[in-house]
Amino acid sequence: KNYKQLAYLYDAPFYFVLTFKISDELIGAAVLGFEITSASFKIIQIQGLGFVKNESNSTDNQVKSMLQSLKWERLLVSFAENWAIKNGFRRAKIQKAKNNAWFVDMEGDDPYYVGRNDRLKMHYDVTAKRSGYKSLNKKWWGKKLTKSKSNDL
């Protein structure tokens, strides 16, 4: 149970959590964190569960396998957009990878930071583009939210 408490770095005040049930235990497999201001819905965290390399941990292996079979980033963004629409928001924003506190501007090619930056770009920038967001500025992707039949939860 301890790894679940330490697995996420909570950067946002509100979350949607994608869970995975193993036996009678719910595992938080991925999170989408957001903040709300008077006029905006901002997605500031898109994070899958981090795993410690442990070949013998079948729970970690099951969750990793489940996440790999889903387009979980877009699933969570779509769910968040539907929630935002139902709560009266007309626009949504996703922060750009370089605007993320965990992105490291660096010189050189430290494999750890290169890998982390690449994951951040996939989670934020690629997900935003594939979800129909357009670049607003150096910090944010933006999208006008519209209700459609597919928005019904």
Side-chain angles (χ1 to χ4, degrees), residues 16-32:
F16 292 119
V17 181
L18 178 64
T19 59
F20 184 69
K21 187 173 183 179
I22 298 175
S23 300
D24 287 331
E25 189 172 11
L26 284 176
I27 308 293
V31 299
L32 180 139

Side-chain angles (χ1 to χ4, degrees), residues 55-73:
E55 303 288 325
S56 65
N57 189 330
S58 65
T59 299
D60 281 3
N61 292 333
Q62 285 179 317
V63 175
K64 277 196 278 190
S65 176
M66 185 274 304
L67 281 178
Q68 290 169 351
S69 71
L70 293 172
K71 291 178 173 62
W72 62 268
E73 297 97 333

